[in-house]
Amino acid sequence: MVELTELRKLILGVVEKNSRIDVHELSVLLGATEIEVANELAEMEKKKVICGYHTLINWENTSDERVNAMIEVQVTPQRGEGFDRIAERIYNFSEVNAVYLMSGGYDFLILLEEKTMRAVSHFVSEKLSTIEAVRGTATHFVLKKYKDHGTVLTENKTDERMVITP
């Protein structure tokens, strides 16, 4: 476990919102030297505190059609291995974007992005449901994303009607 110093917390806070910021800009912003910032970033990458740098894309603003699904999964944990082995089988499917162990009425939440609802259905029926430990699934389709990873994706619409008073 990596100790989060104040500098590391500040670095993480900035790169979580803007992974494209360069080391020079980050050092100026945080009042540290470029070498300090570069070393801290390298250490956090090495220790898997920083696991990757991603771009958030609002696919609704493109001509590319995407279907996002959230799949609740109930499983029977395996003796001696718990949930980890099942989670590994699930996250190794290329279609899967995320797998979370959950508390409550189901065990895993899977986030999936596919081209069609049929592709999601195929994944659930042909791949996920065939895993021996899986007892049940419930699939929810995302109709619209308003905010994702802390970023608002919709534009505020302004009322452009003229006010008429008698």
Side-chain angles (χ1 to χ4, degrees):
M1 182 145 331
V2 173
E3 181 181 336
L4 282 184
T5 63
E6 196 58 37
L7 178 58
R8 286 180 179 172
K9 287 179 188 177
L10 292 171
I11 291 170
L12 291 174
V14 173
V15 297
E16 185 175 39
K17 296 290 183 199
N18 180 7
S19 63
R20 293 186 61 181
I21 192 168
D22 65 27
V23 173
H24 172 73
E25 219 177 325
L26 194 52
S27 67
V28 170
L29 184 66
L30 301 179
T33 68
E34 287 185 38
I35 292 174
E36 286 176 311
V37 171
N39 288 340
E40 294 294 342
L41 284 167
E43 180 67 16
M44 289 189 287
E45 289 168 357
K46 179 181 169 189
K47 299 289 185 177
K48 296 291 186 193
V49 172
I50 297 175
C51 299
Y53 298 90
H54 302 279
T55 302
L56 179 61
I57 299 169
N58 186 353
W59 289 104
E60 289 184 15
N61 290 340
T62 71
S63 61
D64 195 15
E65 293 289 326
R66 302 282 173 115
V67 174
N68 289 278
M70 296 178 181
I71 306 167
E72 300 171 358
V73 183
Q74 293 177 325
V75 300
T76 302
Q78 296 176 336
R79 174 168 269 133
E81 297 173 3
F83 294 102
D84 294 344
R85 178 69 61 146
I86 304 165
E88 182 180 5
R89 285 202 53 202
I90 295 169
Y91 69 63
N92 279 323
F93 289 119
S94 61
E95 301 92 333
V96 173
N97 288 340
V99 177
Y100 302 105
L101 180 63
M102 305 295 289
S103 63
Y106 54 95
D107 302 303
F108 291 115
L109 177 66
I110 300 172
L111 303 181
L112 195 73
E113 184 176 83
E114 283 290 350
K115 293 271 186 197
T116 65
M117 290 177 78
R118 179 174 288 160
V120 173
S121 174
H122 181 265
F123 171 79
V124 173
S125 63
E126 302 296 322
K127 295 182 177 182
L128 186 59
S129 294
T130 62
I131 297 173
E132 188 176 311
V134 172
R135 291 184 298 135
T137 65
T139 303
H140 308 276
F141 292 98
V142 176
L143 302 177
K144 183 173 182 173
K145 289 184 182 181
Y146 293 96
K147 187 175 183 177
D148 196 0
H149 290 85
T151 301
V152 175
L153 301 176
T154 59
E155 295 180 28
N156 289 335
K157 294 183 179 169
T158 56
D159 189 355
E160 296 180 13
R161 297 178 292 178
M162 292 179 56
V163 177
I164 300 175
T165 56

